[in-house]
Amino acid sequence: AGTTTGQWTTSGSGTFAPNDSDLTATYFPSAADTAAGTVILYLTSTNFGNCLSVNDSLLVTISDDPLVNAGTDQVVCANTDLFLTGLISGSGSSIQWTTDGTGTFSSDTSLVANYFFSSSDTASGTISVVLNSDSVPGCLIAHDTVMITITDAPVVDANYDVTVCFNNSDVQLAGTVAGANTTGQWTTNGSGIFIPDDSTLNSIYQPSNLDKTAGSVILTLASSNIGNCNVVSDSMVITITPPPVANAGADKIICNGD
């Protein structure tokens, strides 16, 4: 059967553990080996008696670890999409985004992607998004996680449509803004004015003569000071009806005693 012992040697400068005579040893490449990218390991027979020694070699290719960066943690409003920009380096060449949420990615294999929140995501208020490297032979899959905090979107209500008379047309407004902020701004498609101003939610709207002549005007209440949220708005219609007309007839002259 010949000898069953051997000795490992290397073209590099790494080490064998537990030693170079253990046939199932582990080779630990040195920094120089890693920089070189390849190293040749030789196994040579020992204690071969009157035989010539025999050897065999194997080439070890050393890949850089894949590295990924999912970006920084983000605070995002519930009525916006999450914008992701990942990075991959080292031996990795492709990625996949995953999440503990239930939303969807515009593309889970693109470094630049959007994530669309589900109703469960926004209800929970936080999700994690993970960037994973592809599987590289001999390397562990790399992961990086970003935490996403989801803030409430503004909720805006301009209140009900109203009908007013031409000669009594001032309208008491009662708009509400809730959620991430409680401020708003009124605008009109007419030319009336808001009293005391357009940022008071319960302002009075005073239609202009042009508004009255047109017969209707649309008021829009939009959220303001929205931070990282998209603007939310709601509208109401003011219908202005013609004034009543009273006609008592022509003046008359009557004779006293008739």
Side-chain angles (χ1 to χ4, degrees):
T3 183
T4 57
T5 60
Q7 184 175 30
W8 290 101
T9 55
T10 175
S11 65
S13 53
T15 58
F16 296 93
N19 53 64
D20 60 6
S21 60
D22 188 324
L23 298 182
T24 59
T26 299
Y27 181 73
F28 295 95
S30 66
D33 293 347
T34 302
T38 59
V39 65
I40 301 173
L41 304 184
Y42 301 92
L43 178 60
T44 303
S45 61
T46 57
N47 302 314
F48 45 83
N50 59 355
C51 295
L52 297 175
S53 65
V54 178
N55 63 48
D56 191 27
S57 63
L58 62 91
L59 174 67
V60 178
T61 301
I62 305 169
S63 300
D64 291 333
D65 287 333
L67 299 173
V68 292
N69 186 337
T72 57
D73 296 344
Q74 298 188 46
V75 177
V76 183
C77 184
N79 71 354
T80 64
D81 301 328
L82 172 62
F83 185 67
L84 299 166
T85 303
L87 297 171
I88 185 169
S89 59
S91 59
S93 60
S94 62
I95 59 92
Q96 184 175 32
W97 293 101
T98 58
T99 178
D100 63 355
T102 56
T104 57
F105 295 95
S106 58
S107 171
D108 64 359
T109 56
S110 174
L111 285 169
V112 178
N114 286 332
Y115 177 79
F116 308 104
F117 299 119
S118 68
S119 56
S120 296
D121 292 346
T122 55
S124 70
T126 58
I127 62 168
S128 62
V129 176
V130 182
L131 180 61
N132 308 280
S133 73
D134 55 341
S135 178
V136 177
C139 297
L140 297 175
I141 293 175
H143 312 274
D144 190 38
T145 301
V146 288
M147 296 302 301
I148 310 302
T149 301
I150 307 167
T151 59
D152 292 336
V155 179
V156 177
D157 184 6
N159 218 319
Y160 301 107
D161 297 343
V162 297
T163 299
V164 296
C165 186
F166 189 100
N167 64 3
N168 185 27
S169 59
D170 288 0
V171 177
Q172 175 66 61
L173 303 176
T176 60
V177 180
N181 63 295
T182 57
T183 60
Q185 184 174 30
W186 289 100
T187 55
T188 174
N189 73 338
S191 53
I193 60 173
F194 296 94
I195 302 171
D197 53 56
D198 60 6
S199 59
T200 299
L201 297 183
N202 61 348
S203 282
I204 293 172
Y205 182 72
Q206 191 173 83
S208 66
N209 287 331
L210 289 176
D211 292 347
K212 296 175 184 180
T213 301
S216 66
V217 64
I218 299 173
L219 304 186
T220 301
L221 177 60
S223 57
S224 58
N225 301 314
I226 55 175
N228 59 356
C229 294
N230 288 327
V231 172
V232 177
S233 63
D234 188 40
S235 297
M236 62 178 290
V237 178
I238 299 174
T239 301
I240 305 169
T241 60
V245 177
N247 187 347
D251 294 343
K252 292 184 177 182
I253 299 174
I254 62 173
C255 182
N256 185 23
D258 286 351

